[in-house]
Amino acid sequence: MSTINRKRRAVVGGLSTLALAPSAALAAAKGAGKGAARGTAQPNILFILADDLGWGDLGVYGQTEFRTPHLDKLARQGLRLTQAYSNSAVCSATRFGLITGRYQYRLRGGLEEPIAGTAGNHGLPLEHPTLPSLLKKAGYNTALVGKWHLGYLPTFGPLKSGYDSFFGNYGGAIDYFTHKPGVGPDVKEDLFEGEVPVSQVGYYTDLLGERAAHYIGKQEPGKPFFLSLHYTAPHWPWEGPKDEEVARQVGNIFHYDGGNLETYGRMVEALDASIGRVLEALERRGLAENTIVIFTSDNGGERFSRTWPFTGQKTELLEGGIRVPGLVRWPARIKPGQVSPQVAISMDWLPTLLAAAGSAPDPAYPPDGANLLPVLLGEQGVQPRTLYWRYKANAQRALRDGDWKYLKIRSQEFLFNLAGDQRERANLAQREPARLAALRAQWEQWDAGMLPISADVRTHGVGGRVQADKYSPESNDG
């Protein structure tokens, strides 16, 4: 083994040891948090999550068919990650990872791909610490505007897991105009104020931006806030802000018989404009300087997304299904105009944001994610990472260790060097059998520590189509 590889493995091993040692992780997080908070008040946090947005769907990531000026400006004002990943290739599983800072496979609800409809019994356990609950303990006001998708009332919900207030939808997808998770007069709207059903008129992307801007406008001075703004855009159904007539014609919420690149572009442009209004609200209140703004997606893009140069899409563990945009702006601490190759994943945001707030994860639930705050602040260089995924559909498994990626789809195994083969075309499995065997064993050792995927776990097939024997009108695809 070369000296470089020995050093790299030593660093990776050190990070793994940190993740497995709660006391060491707690001490490190507390230290980083104190450093982050030094000389400044606790930052506000605005976490913006898109739904099914492809890695290349923003101008700063190469999109040329439509414009995203507000998000492009956000990237220029802060740091853009080129190797950000989602915890899963579908949304509710990623949301488990995001809100807990841990692999979703540690929780039964996190095995669902995505979590089932209103009759489902699975969701985020109320006793589990979450990013909002931990920030709330650190003195933050907390709110979720938009999509929850981590379990249904009466058992589960945002107000039961750390959020002070909630406006949005509990399920995986709703029509942008009717706000229903299906079609027909008997289907109820999935729009709630807290735990009370409400009805509002308007394009959902616009409604969420307006509510988020209103929330920012009424924050009390000196009290930090954590606002999760989780859009459903640009998830299907394929409806732009002027496509209300299309909404009346949609015969199935999955909308497989509609959409095109032009409509998709209008949906993303509406998302960008909505985010622009929220960022403007920060400016009006004089809060932009000490507010951390994060923008990312819950998984890779779907059928109309741009994922170039990657292959694959939502529901696949190819790069196109799990590589996502990642933007971070914090004018008080992060230098503008940066582009970072740091490998990151959804569950990193919990330890990272807690450190920025001067707090730390619950030692009884040590995070699998890494605190990347020192990297974002320029206090450390790029850190090597080892990340794992699995997905029941097509028996997929994946591991990224440094630049190497191990991928298995059904019975086929692949070995890629992502540094030189981002499109995952040159399978090096036969050329490097020892490395393949080592990564396979590494994945299997990790997998043994997660909950098994039982036969009753619900999943989706490739391309986002629900398995025929699992489909129901309330299935609420992620």
Side-chain angles (χ1 to χ4, degrees):
M1 182 184 296
S2 69
T3 301
I4 293 176
N5 282 338
R6 281 198 299 272
K7 288 182 178 179
R8 185 179 66 80
R9 290 189 178 277
V11 174
V12 172
L15 289 174
S16 300
T17 302
L18 179 65
L20 294 172
S23 59
L26 177 61
K30 284 183 176 178
K34 290 177 181 177
R38 186 175 60 249
T40 184
Q42 285 177 301
N44 303 306
I45 302 169
L46 169 60
F47 195 100
I48 307 173
L49 189 67
D51 198 339
D52 290 3
L53 188 77
W55 186 85
D57 276 334
L58 305 183
V60 290
Y61 286 94
Q63 178 60 256
T64 58
E65 297 301 312
F66 50 81
R67 298 180 63 249
T68 55
H70 299 289
L71 287 166
D72 294 347
K73 181 179 179 181
L74 183 71
R76 293 192 299 270
Q77 293 172 333
L79 181 146
R80 176 168 65 93
L81 293 164
T82 59
Q83 299 194 87
Y85 287 92
S86 57
N87 259 62
S88 174
V90 289
C91 74
S92 65
T94 289
R95 289 161 203 268
F96 274 94
L98 171 64
I99 202 168
T100 66
R102 311 173 86 209
Y103 281 113
Q104 63 273 21
Y105 319 107
R106 296 188 182 279
L107 298 171
R108 175 59 184 84
L111 303 182
E112 298 285 305
E113 300 167 338
I115 206 162
T118 53
N121 299 318
H122 304 300
L124 178 63
L126 307 191
E127 70 276 8
H128 200 296
T130 64
L131 180 55
S133 73
L134 292 167
L135 285 171
K136 188 174 181 177
K137 287 183 178 179
Y140 279 70
N141 291 331
T142 60
L144 170 60
V145 173
K147 178 173 172 175
W148 167 247
H149 208 196
L150 288 171
Y152 296 86
L153 293 172
T155 307
F156 308 102
L159 302 188
K160 304 177 191 298
S161 290
Y163 287 109
D164 296 320
S165 63
F166 168 63
F167 172 80
N169 58 303
Y170 276 85
I174 59 174
D175 187 277
Y176 287 87
F177 293 95
T178 69
H179 312 141
K180 294 182 176 183
V183 178
D186 297 330
V187 180
K188 296 180 180 179
E189 292 183 51
D190 182 10
L191 189 61
F192 286 77
E193 185 83 52
E195 297 183 353
V196 179
V198 295
S199 182
Q200 290 196 10
V201 176
Y203 186 66
Y204 196 45
T205 302
D206 294 340
L207 292 180
L208 296 182
E210 291 167 3
R211 177 56 68 97
H214 176 74
Y215 177 85
I216 291 170
K218 66 183 182 69
Q219 290 308 294
E220 54 191 285
K223 176 80 169 179
F225 66 83
F226 170 57
L227 171 58
S228 297
L229 176 54
H230 294 183
Y231 287 93
T232 59
H235 193 292
W236 46 254
W238 312 112
E239 300 165 354
K242 297 181 179 180
D243 292 338
E244 190 166 3
E245 184 60 33
V246 173
R248 298 190 185 98
Q249 300 168 0
V250 170
N252 187 313
I253 188 67
F254 290 94
H255 206 180
Y256 284 113
D257 58 350
N260 50 51
L261 291 173
E262 182 180 354
T263 300
Y264 183 79
R266 292 199 301 270
M267 295 172 72
V268 178
E269 287 182 335
L271 170 67
D272 180 80
S274 179
I275 292 170
R277 289 191 287 273
V278 179
L279 297 177
E280 184 182 356
L282 287 175
E283 295 286 352
R284 285 199 305 269
R285 286 296 310 275
L287 299 173
E289 179 73 11
N290 197 33
T291 296
I292 301 172
V293 179
I294 294 168
F295 175 82
T296 187
S297 181
D298 61 351
N299 47 250
E302 223 223 86
R303 69 201 79 169
F304 297 117
S305 298
R306 183 185 189 276
T307 58
W308 181 265
F310 311 118
T311 55
Q313 62 174 13
K314 176 182 178 179
T315 76
E316 299 172 339
L317 297 184
L318 290 155
E319 291 292 290
I322 52 177
R323 190 84 73 100
V324 293
L327 308 178
V328 189
R329 186 188 77 178
W330 187 10
R333 300 300 304 276
I334 294 177
K335 296 178 181 179
Q338 297 185 73
V339 179
S340 173
Q342 174 65 56
V343 173
I345 193 169
S346 310
M347 61 187 177
D348 292 340
W349 294 118
L350 181 143
T352 299
L353 291 174
L354 288 176
S359 185
D362 187 323
Y365 297 83
D368 296 308
N371 171 18
L372 296 179
L373 186 64
V375 177
L376 301 178
L377 297 179
E379 298 170 355
Q380 286 184 0
V382 172
Q383 300 297 299
R385 301 296 301 282
T386 302
L387 304 176
Y388 303 85
W389 296 265
R390 69 185 192 190
Y391 193 76
K392 182 180 178 183
N394 293 327
Q396 299 176 75
R397 61 174 69 173
L399 177 160
R400 175 162 181 174
D401 185 357
D403 290 331
W404 290 95
K405 181 175 178 180
Y406 165 65
L407 175 68
K408 185 176 182 181
I409 304 174
R410 297 193 181 96
S411 61
Q412 294 181 290
E413 290 187 309
F414 305 87
L415 180 65
F416 301 113
N417 188 325
L418 295 177
D421 181 24
Q422 292 179 310
R423 286 187 63 73
E424 297 171 284
R425 294 303 196 192
N427 185 7
L428 304 177
Q430 292 186 357
R431 184 181 297 182
E432 298 211 33
R435 188 185 298 273
L436 176 71
L439 293 179
R440 180 196 303 122
Q442 188 175 335
W443 186 92
E444 290 173 347
Q445 182 180 11
W446 165 83
D447 183 59
M450 301 294 134
L451 293 178
I453 300 180
S454 54
D456 64 328
V457 170
R458 178 182 179 276
T459 191
H460 274 217
V462 173
R465 287 188 181 273
V466 70
Q467 299 292 321
D469 61 340
K470 296 290 186 180
Y471 173 78
S472 73
E474 288 188 314
S475 55
N476 262 325
D477 176 35

